[in-house]
Amino acid sequence: MIGLRTKKGQEPALLSWLSDVRYRIIGREADKGLLFRLFIYLILLDTAYIYLKPVLHMVTTMVKNADDLLDPAVNWFPRIVYLGNLQDAWEWLKYPKALSISLMLALSVAIFQTLSCAVTGYAFARLRVPFKNLMFFFLLLTFIVPMQVTILPNIIYARELGLLNTIYPIIVPAFFGLGLKGALFVIIYRQFFSTQPKELEEAARIDGASVYKIFYKVMMPLAKPAILVVFLFSFIWTWNDFYLPSMYLADIETAPLSMGISRIASALKQQAEVYGPSVTDESIRMATTFLMIIPPMILYTFTQRWFIEGVERTGLVE
């Protein structure tokens, strides 16, 4: 009888333990259990693998020598880390000069677009301007019309002004809020400034602040998330842009990295047609691509936290 009583006394503790285990595995709520977390981690790992696999393939391919490239048993990990392909890509790209041109071009366009689009977005969001809705409609048209439609007149103007083979035809439009994706940046700023409370402007006007002072002293300090988003978008899109430099920069001495990669690919193709394909051609292509993506990766590594916060606060995820 004592043993039976002991077993019966243990039933509530056993049921409590089973309930606790069930809550830990399934969870008291749908998103609190262990199964749900494992499912989320599985999705995140699969997604990360999809995005990281090309980068890992690029890195492992560029450090393989000819023997590892010809050996089908060598897939991800080369037997010897060979840096000759990276050195050849460095020399073919003329990397220090091409890097300086790309940095100067991307930084100039990003800074000019960040400032000029902020002024335009604030005007569309806050100021009472005649025919503002009509002008915003024309702005949307510039966003919809492809760049290839307007490139020929721009090239003619640049030639008449003697600006071909210079970076000025790419930088000057950015000073006025134009250029690659300029209309999108104005929309981002307009969306951000539209969400700010009007009491801030009213209080500044009571203190005697002008429109310019309200913009630079009140609104711009609040617009740091939008500024960061626009700057990074503009920098990355200009850095990766091949179309505009290929139209304006025919001189190889002023070619950014985006054009250098294309020229190396063309040179390798011509060399393969004359002498036959080389086993190291793919490794050199991977090395040139790696050299090009290093600066954006470094930039994003240090700014990813603020970039994600900026995207959330500017309304791009809504």
Side-chain angles (χ1 to χ4, degrees):
M1 295 296 293
I2 296 176
L4 292 176
R5 288 176 182 176
T6 304
K7 291 181 179 179
K8 289 182 179 180
Q10 290 178 349
E11 288 181 359
L14 180 61
L15 293 176
S16 177
W17 180 78
L18 292 175
S19 178
D20 184 62
V21 171
R22 181 170 64 87
Y23 285 142
R24 287 180 180 273
I25 296 176
I26 301 177
R28 297 179 184 272
E29 298 179 5
D31 57 343
K32 301 298 183 180
L34 179 62
L35 292 178
F36 180 81
R37 292 180 180 178
L38 291 176
F39 175 74
I40 292 298
Y41 290 151
L42 179 62
I43 296 297
L44 292 177
L45 289 174
D46 290 341
T47 305
Y49 176 76
I50 292 173
Y51 284 99
L52 291 178
K53 182 182 178 181
V55 179
L56 296 176
H57 174 75
M58 174 184 63
V59 174
T60 56
T61 302
M62 76 177 187
V63 295
K64 291 180 181 178
N65 56 16
D67 295 334
D68 288 339
L69 290 170
L70 292 173
D71 191 351
V74 178
N75 190 7
W76 286 103
F77 301 100
R79 296 188 179 94
I80 299 175
V81 177
Y82 177 68
L83 300 179
N85 299 320
L86 196 62
Q87 183 178 359
D88 292 340
W90 182 286
E91 296 174 355
W92 285 21
L93 282 173
K94 299 179 180 179
Y95 191 72
K97 186 173 184 179
L99 177 64
S100 62
I101 294 173
S102 295
L103 283 175
M104 181 174 61
L105 184 63
L107 285 174
S108 301
V109 172
I111 292 173
F112 286 148
Q113 280 189 328
T114 301
L115 297 177
S116 58
C117 292
V119 175
T120 309
Y122 177 74
F124 277 121
R126 293 298 194 178
L127 301 183
R128 294 182 180 179
V129 182
F131 307 106
K132 183 173 68 174
N133 294 331
L134 181 62
M135 288 188 289
F136 188 72
F137 172 74
F138 288 143
L139 177 71
L140 294 178
L141 286 182
T142 63
F143 181 66
I144 297 172
V145 174
M147 189 183 306
Q148 289 78 3
V149 176
T150 60
I151 190 63
L152 182 58
N154 292 332
I155 293 176
I156 295 174
Y157 294 149
R159 184 183 61 186
E160 293 178 352
L161 295 174
L163 298 178
L164 286 180
N165 292 326
T166 65
I167 62 176
Y168 296 109
I170 304 175
I171 293 178
V172 172
F175 181 78
F176 298 98
L178 301 175
L180 189 66
K181 306 294 189 299
L184 175 61
F185 302 148
V186 175
I187 296 172
I188 292 174
Y189 277 118
R190 178 180 178 271
Q191 174 69 19
F192 180 82
F193 288 130
S194 298
T195 59
Q196 301 306 309
K198 296 182 179 180
E199 290 77 10
L200 295 174
E201 292 176 303
E202 294 174 355
R205 290 193 183 96
I206 292 174
D207 292 337
S210 62
V211 175
Y212 303 102
K213 193 171 184 179
I214 292 173
F215 174 71
Y216 286 108
K217 296 293 186 180
V218 179
M219 288 299 176
M220 285 300 283
L222 296 174
K224 291 180 181 179
I227 291 173
L228 182 61
V229 169
V230 171
F231 179 84
L232 289 179
F233 276 163
S234 180
F235 181 89
I236 296 300
W237 281 334
T238 306
W239 181 274
N240 295 328
D241 183 32
F242 168 78
Y243 184 73
L244 286 180
S246 65
M247 293 292 104
Y248 293 114
L249 304 176
D251 187 7
I252 193 172
E253 297 298 327
T254 58
L257 287 174
S258 58
M259 292 183 62
I261 289 179
S262 176
R263 287 173 176 172
I264 287 179
S266 300
L268 291 175
K269 183 177 180 181
Q270 294 177 359
Q271 182 177 340
E273 292 176 354
V274 177
Y275 302 103
S278 175
V279 68
T280 60
D281 288 350
E282 188 66 20
S283 298
I284 294 177
R285 291 191 183 95
M286 295 295 104
T288 55
T289 305
F290 177 77
L291 290 175
M292 182 176 178
I293 68 173
I294 285 178
M297 289 179 63
I298 295 175
L299 178 64
Y300 183 74
T301 300
F302 289 101
T303 59
Q304 59 175 333
R305 175 183 174 184
W306 298 278
F307 175 72
I308 295 172
E309 293 178 358
V311 169
E312 294 176 352
R313 295 186 61 182
T314 51
L316 292 179
V317 297
E318 294 180 359

